[in-house]
């Protein structure tokens, strides 16, 4: 994984998710350009600990934010650019206090894609083509 800026509009959401999950698996810090709920763009360096699908179908990232020093939730659709760094995680992870409404838990990019396909196309036996 390179240390260059990836613009999410220039790639598929599957590619973005795969890169973020690889960063999580490798415990690599990731700098994101994120548009918050107020429409303001911020740049944060985060340590991704989970990628989840909410009950509404949104894909979210749970990560320690190095700016705030606490666990934060980022909607993947709001991440406009990201860079995965070589530097490892440094922040301690506090115990989760809030309950996030989840439809399913996916531990890999393949599981996440399969869950999304199952939700959108409930026909049995539908798989992602290689």
């Amino acid at each position: 994984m390179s240390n260059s800026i990836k613009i999410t509009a220039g790639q598929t959401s599957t590619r973005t998710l795969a890169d973020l999950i690889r960063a999580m698996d490798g415990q690599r810090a990731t700098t994101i350009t994120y548009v918050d709920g107020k429409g303001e763009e911020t740049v944060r360096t985060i340590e991704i600990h989970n990628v989840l699908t909410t009950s509404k179908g949104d894909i979210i990232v749970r990560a320690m934010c190095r700016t705030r020093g606490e666990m934060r939730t980022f909607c993947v659709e709001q991440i406009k650019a990201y860079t995965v760094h070589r530097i490892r995680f440094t922040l301690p992870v506090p115990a989760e206090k809030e309950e996030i409404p989840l439809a399913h838990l996916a531990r890999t990019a393949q599981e996440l894609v399969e869950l999304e396909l199952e939700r959108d196309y409930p026909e049995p036996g539908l798989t992602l083509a290689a």
Side-chain angles (χ1 to χ4, degrees), residues 47-50 62-66 68-73 89-98 100:
E47 299 175 0
I48 302 170
H49 289 278
N50 218 340
R62 292 288 292 158
M64 289 297 294
C65 176
R66 287 187 174 178
R68 299 259 177 130
E70 58 189 32
M71 188 66 76
R72 307 294 287 185
T73 300
F89 289 0
T90 60
L91 298 175
V93 180
E96 287 283 342
K97 295 178 188 172
E98 66 182 83
I100 300 170

Side-chain angles (χ1 to χ4, degrees), residues 41-90:
E41 195 171 277
T42 62
V43 176
R44 305 280 181 102
T45 298
I46 60 174
E47 299 175 0
I48 302 170
H49 289 278
N50 218 340
V51 177
L52 308 164
T53 303
T54 68
S55 57
K56 294 180 180 179
D58 296 322
I59 300 171
I60 58 172
V61 170
R62 292 288 292 158
M64 289 297 294
C65 176
R66 287 187 174 178
T67 303
R68 299 259 177 130
E70 58 189 32
M71 188 66 76
R72 307 294 287 185
T73 300
F74 301 94
C75 184
V76 172
E77 288 182 2
Q78 298 302 107
I79 297 174
K80 302 304 175 193
Y82 63 94
T83 302
V84 177
H85 302 286
R86 292 186 182 110
I87 190 168
R88 297 270 187 185
F89 289 0
T90 60

